Structures are given as structure tokens and as C-alpha cells.
Amino acid sequence: MQLVRPLHETDGGSLPAANRGWPGGAKLGVVVLMHLDHVPALPGPDAGIPPSSVALRGPYPRIMDVHTTSQHEYGLRVGAFRILDLLDELRIPVSVAVDAHSARHRPRLMERIGESGAEFVAHGVDGISILHDGMDREEQRAHLAESVGAVEEFCGVRPTGWSGLDYAQSTTALEDLAALGIRWTADWPNDEVPNVLATARGDVLNIPVSIHLDDVFSHLKRGIPIEKWADNIVSSARVLLAEDAPRNRTLVLGLHPWLIAQPFRFAHLREVLRTLRGLDGLWWARGADVAAHLDGERDER
């Protein structure tokens, strides 16, 4: 298989979106991106490649690991509802990345997400099948189509946003996503301003994830203490607000309810969001709101 160069490495492949300013004169756009992942107890011989957040420790997926799989189920049974209640209390909008299995088999959770006014975002087929360049192109297209189609069928809206499992992409995924009508992603942590990735099937707006503030990447993978993780989020927002930056900057906060909604961690999330809610100059938005505001325009540096 011949690989193509990633879009951010090609000339003109990633250009800043138009600097239109955030609504209300805000200096920083904040997007809360919650990830819902179904991790099967026994994935079977045809399972895909699991992300490191699932296969980080222990024997899974070679054999059943009840601790790994059950804590992800906790996120779907308990954690997601806890986070949604907090966001409703603080009047914070949210984009929710939903894999196909969760969309099909968690109707009460999908109903609760819809009640909150959240945006449904396509998120792969399950929590262990990561996108990668070893996939056959037709296999990849079927994977993406199943993801988008399941959200449309079971959540009642066709998604315009995409968040890859562990923010993974193949070098050809964006082109296939654009063909499915995807307008934005957060997978590329390449900037602090939204940028436009051009593909042969249309442009996709990248709203860069703040990868080192993501709960899994920071707390689980890097071992950052949860208290420090909370401090880092608030410090990042304050630095971005204080700097005299002319462009539309964003802070995309990735949350995984199986991890951050555990009660002893959740207390820190609650304090972080309450603190941020008290800061001036923030525009709280869903990914779709950012994409609609910027309208996919390019802006030369």
C-alpha cells in the first residue's frame, strides 16, 4: 500500500480559518468534547487494533480483562450522565463523540444527550477499532460510513463532526470523511487556532484538540496527578486569555466519562469547569458552532 503524506505536511494543506472574531468579543473559544466508547469483553479474532488507552496495561484484548472492559461500561452507565448533569447545571454546551455500538445499544443515554442540546459527533464503530493506514481503503470507507450512519439512524441527526478513537487518523481518512459530509474534526493538535484541511472531496475544519489537557492523555498515559491536570486547564485558559493574540484561538477539552467521572476525579472536573465559567472572555461552543461561525473560510498567514 502506498501512503500519502499527511495533510499538515503538504504545501497549503492546512491554513488558518478566517479570523472573524468570536461572538460577543470573546477572546477564547472553549469546546468540551466528551467521548463515549464501547469496549467489548471479548472482541473476537476479527477485532481491529485497540488504542493504547485500552491496551495500556494487562492482557486485553488477547484475553478477557474484566477491569478494562467494565470501567468503560461504567462510563456509559454512570459517568456520562454525571458529566451531562454538571454541564447542564453550569449551562455549558458539549459535543459528544459516540461510537456506532453505543449509538445502537444505549438508547437512554442517547436520549439524555439529545435532551441536553448536545451535538452528536461520529466516533468510529467501537472503542477498540482504531483508524490506521494498514486498513484496506474500502474497509476504511465502510468503517466510517457505519459510524456516521449509526449516529444518524439511532440519534436522529446526521453528524457533521468527527472525533477519531484516541484522535487517530489514517492519511486518507479525512478525504473519506469529507465525502460523507463531515465538516469538522478535532483530531490534529497542530495549532491554537482552527485551520482548514483541504481534501479532494472538500475542506474539513480542524479545531485542534488540546491534547495535553485531555484526561486520558494527561492523567492516564502521562501520569499527571489529577490535581495538576485541573491546574493545567485553568492555567492554559488564563494564559490564552492574557495574551494579545489577534486570531480565533480555541481550547478543546477532551473528557472520557469512564475515567474523569469517577467520584474522586469528578470533584476536580467540577471545580475546573466552575472556575472557567467564572472567567470573562470565553465563548462556550460546540464543534458545530465553531464550524458554522467560521464557515470553512481560509485565511493566509
Side-chain angles (χ1 to χ4, degrees):
M1 177 180 180
Q2 183 178 1
L3 302 183
V4 299
R5 293 180 68 190
L7 288 173
H8 71 287
E9 294 182 356
T10 59
D11 294 337
S14 174
L15 295 174
N19 182 21
R20 300 181 58 189
W22 295 134
K27 295 188 66 176
L28 179 65
V30 180
V31 177
V32 176
L33 179 59
M34 184 168 72
H35 303 257
L36 302 183
D37 305 309
H38 166 75
V39 176
L42 294 172
D46 298 325
I49 298 176
S52 58
S53 60
V54 173
L56 184 64
R57 303 179 181 91
Y60 186 86
R62 290 181 291 110
I63 63 174
M64 179 177 172
D65 179 356
V66 67
H67 305 121
T68 293
T69 57
S70 290
Q71 65 181 342
H72 283 81
E73 184 178 7
Y74 174 93
L76 300 172
R77 293 166 64 101
V78 179
F81 291 93
R82 181 172 287 147
I83 292 175
L84 289 168
D85 287 346
L86 174 63
L87 296 175
D88 283 354
E89 173 192 334
L90 297 177
R91 301 174 64 86
I92 293 175
V94 61
S95 295
V96 183
V98 182
D99 66 32
H101 188 281
S102 299
R104 291 189 184 102
H105 298 288
R106 300 284 176 174
R108 177 66 192 100
L109 178 53
M110 298 305 109
E111 180 183 359
R112 176 66 182 86
I113 294 168
E115 290 171 353
S116 73
E119 173 191 11
F120 288 98
V121 177
H123 187 49
V125 298
D126 56 31
I128 63 166
S129 302
I130 202 164
L131 280 178
H132 59 92
D133 280 305
M135 298 176 74
D136 177 84
R137 189 67 181 273
E138 291 307 312
E139 178 189 4
Q140 173 178 277
R141 286 171 174 157
H143 176 108
L144 300 178
E146 179 182 355
S147 172
V148 171
V151 172
E152 181 176 25
E153 180 178 357
F154 294 96
C155 303
V157 60
R158 188 169 181 86
T160 59
W162 168 268
S163 179
L165 182 60
D166 268 22
Y167 308 107
Q169 290 260 349
S170 74
T171 53
T172 56
L174 279 180
E175 181 176 320
D176 292 339
L177 286 167
L180 291 169
I182 294 298
R183 294 185 59 202
W184 72 270
T185 183
D187 289 347
W188 303 63
N190 62 351
D191 208 323
E192 291 173 346
V193 299
N195 47 94
V196 181
L197 298 168
T199 82
R201 300 301 298 272
D203 292 347
V204 177
L205 180 72
N206 178 49
I207 310 169
V209 63
S210 307
I211 193 72
H212 292 293
L213 300 180
D214 177 275
D215 54 357
V216 166
F217 278 76
S218 177
H219 181 55
L220 183 70
K221 291 188 176 184
R222 298 175 60 214
I224 302 297
I226 197 66
E227 298 87 352
K228 183 61 176 174
W229 169 81
D231 289 343
N232 287 345
I233 295 171
V234 176
S235 296
S236 296
R238 285 180 169 149
V239 167
L240 293 169
L241 286 169
E243 290 181 347
D244 184 18
R247 294 187 176 274
N248 306 324
R249 297 205 289 182
T250 54
L251 190 157
V252 178
L253 181 59
L255 302 176
H256 298 74
W258 64 268
L259 182 74
I260 199 60
Q262 297 279 351
F264 69 98
R265 297 189 183 106
F266 182 75
H268 296 281
L269 173 63
R270 182 172 53 208
E271 187 60 30
V272 163
L273 293 179
R274 284 178 174 172
T275 300
L276 292 182
R277 204 71 178 92
L279 297 180
D280 293 329
L282 299 183
W283 177 46
W284 296 88
R286 305 169 304 172
D289 301 326
V290 174
H293 180 74
L294 297 177
D295 200 28
E297 296 180 41
R298 292 171 180 259
D299 184 24
E300 300 288 348
R301 280 204 192 271

